Amino acid sequence: MRNYIIADNQELTRFALESLLQNDGENVVYRAFDKARLVELLKEHESAVVLLDYTLFDFADEDQLLIIAERFNLSNWILISDDLTPQFIRRVVYSSHQFSVVYKDGPLSEVREALSAVNRHTRYLSQRALETIITQQQQEEETPNILTTTEMEIVKAIALGKTTKEIAAERFSSIHTVTTHRKNIFRKLGINTAHEAVKYALRAGLIDPSEFYI
């Protein structure tokens, strides 16, 4: 018998994964809708397999994810997402052998192969994940993209806790335009969350730490 924890807040994905796992009557499937519940379940089932969409969960950054994985070092993780930055994939994969990586828009066979690999106590990296890591390695010494003036202003606004709607109103722009800028910023910086944008803004001196309260 194997315990599985589905940590994905997309209902259709949860249903598909549960159906896939329950085809084997010996599997026990649990659900976690936030980080706190995930930790509770891992305390009860330390060797569980976690199927996680990192981009839809309440992790502030990859550090939190890696800390939890290290704490429950008997667990295995299959990261299933639409989009993960190359920097994130590389760091997670190089930090721990507990992580496998597949994509939601990839073939179902990859999810099956990942599950099979985990049950053999190995990990699985989809072809796309492998290519992403290799490309990142090749580009790591190149000069990173520099944010435009507009993007720097939007990073600062994000770091100060302003919503997309508020930023759009202040800039007399559409929400769609600000959302596009936000996606480009995250891609250039290699980040996934607003919390990581805050850390970048602090490091880059875009906001004054003395006026910023966490």
Side-chain angles (χ1 to χ4, degrees):
M1 182 183 72
R2 196 72 193 264
N3 294 314
Y4 292 86
I5 302 172
I6 297 178
D8 189 315
N9 288 321
Q10 197 170 62
E11 186 174 4
L12 184 59
T13 304
R14 287 199 309 271
F15 176 79
L17 291 174
E18 286 183 18
S19 298
L20 182 63
L21 293 171
Q22 288 173 347
N23 282 337
D24 183 346
E26 295 185 354
N27 291 334
V28 180
V29 181
Y30 302 92
R31 290 184 181 184
F33 296 98
D34 57 30
K35 185 170 77 267
R37 178 57 178 160
L38 175 58
V39 170
E40 287 180 6
L41 287 170
L42 283 170
K43 287 178 180 177
E44 298 174 11
H45 312 286
E46 294 186 352
S47 60
V49 177
V50 180
L51 292 88
L52 169 72
D53 187 335
Y54 173 82
T55 61
L56 296 180
F57 232 59
D58 60 337
F59 286 102
D61 52 33
E62 63 264 31
D63 288 331
Q64 286 190 349
L65 174 62
L66 291 170
I67 288 170
I68 292 175
E70 183 179 3
R71 177 180 174 186
F72 301 101
N73 57 17
L74 297 179
S75 64
N76 292 103
W77 301 64
I78 300 177
L79 301 180
I80 305 177
S81 179
D82 286 321
D83 188 30
L84 293 170
T85 65
Q87 293 86 347
F88 172 86
I89 295 174
R90 188 179 179 193
R91 184 179 179 199
V92 168
V93 167
Y94 282 8
S95 296
S96 173
H97 286 279
Q98 293 169 259
F99 291 96
S100 296
V101 182
V102 296
Y103 291 86
K104 284 186 177 179
D105 58 358
L108 181 61
S109 60
E110 290 186 345
V111 179
R112 294 183 185 278
E113 288 177 26
L115 290 168
S116 178
V118 167
N119 285 325
R120 297 194 306 271
H121 303 289
T122 61
R123 74 171 172 191
Y124 176 84
L125 301 177
S126 68
Q127 184 63 34
R128 179 177 165 189
L130 286 170
E131 291 173 355
T132 297
I133 293 171
I134 292 170
T135 300
Q136 174 64 17
Q137 289 175 327
Q138 293 172 341
Q139 296 178 344
E140 67 178 351
E141 294 183 358
E142 296 180 4
T143 303
N145 290 325
I146 299 173
L147 299 184
T148 66
T149 301
T150 296
E151 289 169 343
M152 296 284 271
E153 292 171 353
I154 290 175
V155 167
K156 180 177 179 178
I158 292 171
L160 292 173
K162 295 179 181 179
T163 66
T164 299
K165 184 177 180 180
E166 289 171 337
I167 297 171
E170 288 181 357
R171 301 186 62 82
F172 302 101
S173 300
S174 69
I175 292 176
H176 173 73
T177 297
V178 175
T179 299
T180 299
H181 279 307
R182 182 186 175 105
K183 289 180 179 179
N184 289 336
I185 290 165
F186 280 29
R187 174 179 53 80
K188 287 183 178 182
L189 297 181
I191 60 178
N192 293 287
T193 68
H195 181 78
E196 292 170 303
V198 171
K199 293 198 292 187
Y200 170 82
L202 286 167
R203 290 195 303 268
L206 298 179
I207 54 178
D208 186 346
S210 66
E211 298 178 355
F212 184 71
Y213 301 92
I214 298 178

